């Protein structure tokens, strides 16, 4: 296997990282399904696009697809443990954008629409980027 592919797939992490990866993946996939498909009380692409435009993230339609697609598909990648480092990198970028465009001016706490939840997801995504997928993952099975 090529050196680069092995670096992307390799993990020494154990079961704890597996649990963290799956939980963070479920949360991101659910949020992405709100943006893309209007599931779980979400607004779908059209409503998300309007919101993105109101934040100054234009074009809103493209931003809604990019944000929802990253959350949904990278979340699924985390759940099954396939290509988790590239998926985590996308989620890290997405979390930073959410923190600095939506939440930072509201302070830390969620009760005020603050950044604590996005920060927790950012931390989980960074852990996955650093440690890899963990014991129960497609990445580990492929890397050997």
């Amino acid at each position: 296997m090529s050196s680069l592919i092995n670096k992307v797939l390799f993990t020494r992490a154990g079961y704890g990282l597996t649990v963290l990866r799956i939980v963070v993946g479920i949360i991101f996939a659910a949020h992405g399904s709100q943006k893309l498909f209007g599931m779980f009380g979400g607004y779908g692409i059209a409503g998300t696009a309007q919101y993105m435009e109101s934040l100054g993230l234009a074009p809103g339609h493209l931003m809604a697809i990019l944000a929802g697609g990253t959350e949904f598909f990278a979340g699924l990648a985390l759940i099954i443990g396939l290509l988790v480092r590239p998926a985590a990198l996308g989620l890290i970028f997405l979390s930073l954008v959410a923190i600095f465009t939506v939440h930072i001016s509201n302070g830390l706490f969620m009760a005020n629409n603050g950044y604590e939840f996005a920060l927790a997801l950012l931390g989980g995504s960074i852990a996955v980027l650093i440690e890899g997928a963990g014991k129960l993952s497609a990445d580990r099975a492929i890397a050997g």
Side-chain angles (χ1 to χ4, degrees):
M1 186 176 320
S2 90
S3 177
L4 178 61
I5 293 172
N6 194 38
K7 286 179 183 176
V8 169
L9 300 178
F10 179 75
T11 181
R12 286 189 311 263
Y15 294 110
L17 211 298
T18 299
V19 171
L20 177 67
R21 182 195 85 227
I22 292 170
V23 170
V24 169
I26 289 169
I27 293 167
F28 273 118
H31 279 263
S33 67
Q34 287 179 310
K35 289 175 181 69
L36 293 177
F37 314 119
M39 296 175 67
F40 309 113
Y43 298 106
I45 292 174
T48 303
Q50 279 184 320
Y51 181 66
M52 295 283 188
E53 288 275 350
S54 77
L55 295 173
L57 298 172
H61 191 77
L62 177 62
M63 294 298 126
I65 291 171
L66 288 173
T70 300
E71 285 180 333
F72 184 73
F73 291 108
L76 290 180
L78 263 59
I79 292 167
I80 63 174
L82 179 63
L83 297 172
V84 300
R85 283 191 171 98
L89 192 59
L91 294 170
I92 289 166
F93 180 76
L94 184 94
S95 297
L96 288 170
V97 171
I99 288 169
F100 288 107
T101 60
V102 178
H103 303 291
I104 197 78
S105 63
N106 299 319
L108 176 65
F109 297 105
M110 283 178 55
N112 300 321
N113 197 28
Y115 59 89
E116 76 176 309
F117 184 64
L119 185 64
L121 291 176
L122 174 64
S125 298
I126 291 170
V128 170
L129 178 68
I130 293 168
E131 296 296 327
K135 285 201 182 275
L136 301 175
S137 66
D139 282 358
R140 184 164 183 187
I142 293 167

